[in-house]
Amino acid sequence: MKRLSLIVLGCVLLSGCIFDPVFDTSNWDAYQRSSAAIKAKLNNDDLRRLEIALRYLLLEGTPNIAADEQLYNNLTATNPYFIVARLGPKIDGRSAAAVIKNLTIKLDSEISATEARLQNLRDVLGSVEVSSPRYYWKQSGYLAQPVVEFAVRNDGRSPISRIYFRSVLTTPNRSIPWARQEFVQTFKGGLEPHEKQQLTLQPRGQWSDPQLKDLYNAELKVTVTNFEDANGAKVIAVDSDQLDLERKVRAALQ
């Protein structure tokens, strides 16, 4: 019996030796030590995936997370206590593999839920019709300026106060657009059901490139990405930038 107990104990000890190290976020020093131990056992690919996961988890929930390079650098350089408090509930007691796996599952769930909501709302966006989009240059005094023009009609049952558009200028057999822009149009007095208005806009930036003036076969595509009702509530309350970021992070964790 004693010999059997020793064998069992030896197996337990041996099995404990092959366990992956886990994060300890009880304090900053413990976090640094555990993090170093974890990273020392990872290959380059797993280390890259862990860094991506930790970065996302640290900045998760902050506004404009995709563009917060400076915020990330500031936090990691000057605020260790914030890092421990922020990451602790998400990684404490977990190995690198578990952190990556948990975040992957979380992102899968959030992406699926958002995409399902978007799919259900695409028909709603179809109630705003865009027709006859045109891109041309108009002489104004001594200057020629680009013009984007199209008609928009409210085929829904409720008034619309504001519409969000995405415009893309292409030519046949060219995969990269010449210009693209997102813009918002506010309708004074609203756009009532079955009402149609002609919109004429003067785009800037890429659209003002003089070489575009000679595009005889230019094709302008204008799509509706969202709109607001009479109370100013968006029909699709989805952060498209956040969804794009989640997709990119999920792909990088694979």
Side-chain angles (χ1 to χ4, degrees):
M1 178 63 71
K2 183 177 180 180
R3 183 177 180 182
L4 178 60
S5 299
L6 290 175
I7 293 175
V8 172
L9 177 61
C11 291
V12 171
L13 292 175
L14 287 174
S15 64
C17 292
I18 65 173
F19 286 166
D20 290 333
V22 299
F23 283 102
D24 180 357
T25 60
S26 56
N27 56 63
W28 176 243
D29 289 337
Y31 170 72
Q32 287 187 306
R33 287 195 302 270
S34 62
S35 179
I38 288 172
K39 293 177 180 179
K41 298 190 65 175
L42 300 179
N43 59 40
N44 289 338
D45 189 53
D46 287 338
L47 182 59
R48 174 190 62 81
R49 295 164 67 213
L50 177 62
E51 292 290 353
I52 291 172
L54 292 177
R55 182 192 184 97
Y56 181 87
L57 291 172
L58 178 62
L59 294 180
E60 185 180 22
T62 61
N64 300 320
I65 178 176
D68 272 337
E69 182 74 24
Q70 188 60 47
L71 173 61
Y72 177 79
N73 292 336
N74 291 343
L75 289 176
T76 54
T78 64
N79 203 334
Y81 300 105
F82 178 87
I83 295 175
V84 171
R86 185 89 173 179
L87 291 180
K90 305 172 183 179
I91 69 172
D92 189 51
R94 298 178 177 87
S95 65
V99 170
I100 295 170
K101 180 180 179 181
N102 289 348
L103 179 57
T104 299
I105 294 173
K106 179 176 182 292
L107 289 174
D108 280 341
S109 176
E110 292 178 353
I111 291 170
S112 296
T114 302
E115 289 178 340
R117 288 167 56 200
L118 284 173
Q119 187 61 41
N120 293 335
L121 290 168
R122 293 195 193 282
D123 292 340
V124 177
L125 290 181
S127 64
V128 180
E129 178 188 359
V130 173
S131 60
S132 305
R134 295 177 58 211
Y135 171 76
Y136 60 92
W137 286 64
K138 180 180 179 181
Q139 197 70 28
S140 177
Y142 294 102
L143 298 176
Q145 296 183 339
V147 176
V148 166
E149 186 176 273
F150 58 92
V152 59
R153 174 185 168 89
N154 180 4
D155 286 333
R157 299 179 179 180
S158 302
I160 294 174
S161 62
R162 182 176 296 168
I163 301 179
Y164 297 76
F165 297 97
R166 178 179 293 124
S167 57
V168 180
L169 184 69
T170 62
T171 50
N173 302 319
R174 183 179 291 271
S175 58
I176 299 177
W178 291 97
R180 66 179 77 210
Q181 182 179 358
E182 296 190 7
F183 57 93
V184 181
Q185 179 67 32
T186 299
F187 297 88
K188 292 183 179 179
L191 187 67
E192 293 294 325
H194 310 301
E195 182 181 359
K196 182 177 182 179
Q197 288 192 22
Q198 189 75 16
L199 300 182
T200 302
L201 310 169
Q202 288 189 335
R204 297 287 184 258
Q206 299 172 323
W207 303 81
S208 301
D209 189 333
Q211 67 175 321
L212 300 186
K213 183 166 53 175
D214 301 322
L215 291 180
Y216 68 92
N217 57 348
E219 297 178 356
L220 174 65
K221 183 178 181 180
V222 180
T223 56
V224 176
T225 60
N226 211 338
F227 63 86
E228 297 179 9
D229 61 19
N231 297 318
K234 290 183 178 179
V235 173
I236 298 180
V238 171
D239 187 339
S240 58
D241 291 337
Q242 176 65 23
L243 177 59
D244 289 341
L245 176 63
E246 289 177 350
R247 287 169 172 164
K248 290 177 182 177
V249 173
R250 175 63 184 86
L253 293 178
Q254 293 181 336

